[in-house]
Amino acid sequence: MPASSHHLSPSVIAVALPTPLRRLFDYRPGQDIPTQGWQPGMRVRVPFGTRQMVGIVIEGRDTSEIPAQQLKSVSAWLDDRPLPEDWLWLGRFTARYYQHALGDTLHQTLPVLLRQGKPLEARTRERWHATAQGLEIDLASLDRAPRQAALLALLRQHPRGLVMPALTAQDFTRAQLSALAKKNLVRHEIETLETRSESTRGGLLAEPALPLQRQQSQALAALHESLDAFQPYLLQGVTGSGKTEVYLQLIEAIVAKGRQALVLIPEIGLTPQTLARFRKRFRVPVVALHSGLSDHERLDGWLAAMSGRAPIVIGTRSAIFTPLAKPGVIIVDEEHDGSFKQQDGLRYHARDLAVVRARRHGIPLLLGSATPSLESLAKVESGDYRRLRLDQRASRHPPAKLELVELRGRSQQGGLVSPVIEALRQTLAAGHQALVFINRRGFAPTLACHQCGWMAECPSCDARMTWHRQPPRLICHHCDRQQRLPDICPTCASADLRPLGTGTERTEETLAALFPAVPVHRIDRDSTRRKHAFEQTLEEVRRGEPCLLVGTQMLAKGHHLPHVTLVAVVNADAGLYASDFRALEHSAQLLIQVAGRAGRAAHPGRVLVQTLHSDDPHLKLLAEQGYDILAEQLLQERRAAALPPFRFLALARFESAKAEAATTLAESVAQELRQWLEQRDLAVDCLGPVPAPMERRQNRYHVQLLLGSARRSQLHEASAWLIQWLENHRDGRRVRWSLDIDPQTLS
Ligand code: ADP
Ligand code: ZN
Ligand code: ZN
């Protein structure tokens, strides 16, 4: 063992603990330091206030500022080897970059069982086989032990062996197994849970790879040019162009070199197909990390990735923190997707961390999308990322152009105008399926009185309440408050209460009335609450009978619906005219993704987009020239307006039960920050405080302060100053505040 200072016992160790405080805590190492010595990244249990907490050792110190007699000792050392170095490195980077407390960052990025101090060991189980002798022996020779004979007979039928739970389920006991093992008739091996002992004989692949189309091979060849070095690629391929096939063949090459692939996808629950395709292709274990796992399953997956037993790891946002023994590539599918940004607590962006992590490991990074984020497109422009394009679909038909349908001056039925209803009719008559996209669940966005104009408003938020039919009630989509539907108007007592606008339930109802002969499937968060409901509906739709689908953006993401030939967008305007600076980018991405559901197989598709502003220049540009051209235009606008990706932002949010408290605090910190910036001569500006776009939410008042700079380092200096001021200020403890580095929205 090398004699490093780590093996000497320091007088003080600094520990990161799961508290919001941005500091480490000093302890004496105590008596039971692991015999091999201590190292950063080991977990310890320590007294904290009246409780015990699990923390991570960060460093050793010669002295502490805390008087020796007050310094407490570690209660227990939980590990004899440190948690993985790549995990600790990324955690420290994340805490620094997003200005979040290190202890909380590390805590958030660990599987729950490790946070609780459970051992860093994979769960194992025994798999029992008949030995060669056991296969040959005459079972009659065991006739004095009939259960043993039955057990051996059973194992003889299973050449791959049976695991202990399968045997106990049939009432066989450990004593019977031991008796047979003594006679050398059976034996067992220990296997770790997540990597079932699947045979990898016959190679890596369980099914042959598809022969690539020309652009796919070019993309793969370009990726092969840099398998051993950091290089970000943007795989920009139209919907259905076979990006996934490129991922699969890249992963094949990486795994063949004995390395691991980490694949981030937006939401596993919404795209079970992606995971299924990976599992079908590869014979090696594919570990999936997502919110549907039990704590044990999550730890198993984490350990399989950490040990290298799992060559392929697929997960949502938080999987970026999964340790890898032999990292080979990171892939971020649908890289533009908003779900990669965590919007509360530790506000990180998994795509951005993927870049950082790939650079650190010196491995390629592949970002894939039909509608890349402006951030990634700007990196292509600056030469930092290499762009690979797939312009053709694997099927014959190119993605359909958007056809704009003006809403003004036309009467509507359930939100649909007659040219759209007619197109739906034709689609069904041709034996195809149609998808109606409406980004609003519930029956109607609100309930209004036709006599006096009253509208149902949430008592706790600056927002209307949504009218839901199934079950009937008013629900605030911002705070989840629910209310009974009123029979009469609370202001004028009129009974003439009507829906205002259209939600999925109302469109579903209209379509069912218009087309009684075909099934109408509604897909939104309400209709899919039951487990597997979503998959079941999709399965039925894939059978291909004519039907109508009505749904929110749950339907837009990545689904392959081969029989859908018409997509109708009920209203394109909500997103286009939202105040947020990314609203246009996001709604264009969503429109193209939804449109991409049409005509993915044998028949060409059509996409009708209803709008009140068919002459809107951005919408026209998107419809006539496509996403690329619109994105170029939006990038120019962002540059002109000094907005991301050409400027770096940090958003401080303040909230309190009384409006003045948040405002006063934000005002005082803003004033002092401005002075400090001037003294330090930093090129950072500080806008606000201003009320948040929805000022009152859940009876709390929200105020915000926006910092911006062309220099990332200066923005960070200013952010750090702000946080420190707020932590040290008395009112900073009374008002809830947070800082969002690289905010995705300014709301
Ligand atoms: P994307 O991820 O770009 O939306 P997919 O990878 O889902 O596209 O591919 C769309 C369809 O095309 C899938 O059904 C896929 O099996 C098929 N496909 C992809 N590549 C090929 C290929 N080289 N040859 C034949 N079919 C392909
Ligand atoms: Zn009224
Ligand atoms: Zn509310």
Side-chain angles (χ1 to χ4, degrees), residues 317-336:
R317 178 174 69 219
S318 63
I320 190 59
F321 297 107
T322 314
L324 297 170
K326 292 163 285 178
V329 68
I330 304 179
I331 297 175
V332 183
D333 188 26
E334 309 289 0
E335 64 89 29
H336 64 278

Side-chain angles (χ1 to χ4, degrees), residues 251-367:
I251 292 170
E252 182 189 339
I254 295 288
V255 176
K257 285 164 75 93
R259 309 247 195 88
Q260 291 169 288
L262 174 62
V263 184
L264 301 184
I265 61 177
E267 250 174 297
I268 284 186
L270 293 186
T271 51
Q273 290 170 84
T274 311
L275 185 60
R277 272 171 81 181
F278 278 71
R279 291 224 158 113
K280 201 162 145 234
R281 174 65 55 91
F282 294 102
R283 198 167 269 145
V284 295
V286 175
V287 156
L289 296 170
H290 55 88
S291 57
L293 298 180
S294 72
D295 290 346
H296 272 296
E297 288 168 330
R298 179 168 284 275
L299 178 58
D300 290 341
W302 205 82
L303 293 170
M306 173 187 123
S307 65
R309 285 193 303 277
I312 304 170
V313 179
I314 302 187
T316 44
R317 178 174 69 219
S318 63
I320 190 59
F321 297 107
T322 314
L324 297 170
K326 292 163 285 178
V329 68
I330 304 179
I331 297 175
V332 183
D333 188 26
E334 309 289 0
E335 64 89 29
H336 64 278
D337 195 277
S339 72
F340 290 122
K341 173 75 199 282
Q342 179 146 310
Q343 303 284 18
D344 53 13
L346 174 57
R347 294 171 174 78
Y348 66 96
H349 202 302
R351 179 195 61 219
D352 297 347
L353 289 180
V355 182
V356 169
R357 196 167 173 194
R359 180 182 292 125
R360 150 105 176 154
H361 292 315
I363 59 173
L365 168 73
L366 180 56
L367 308 176

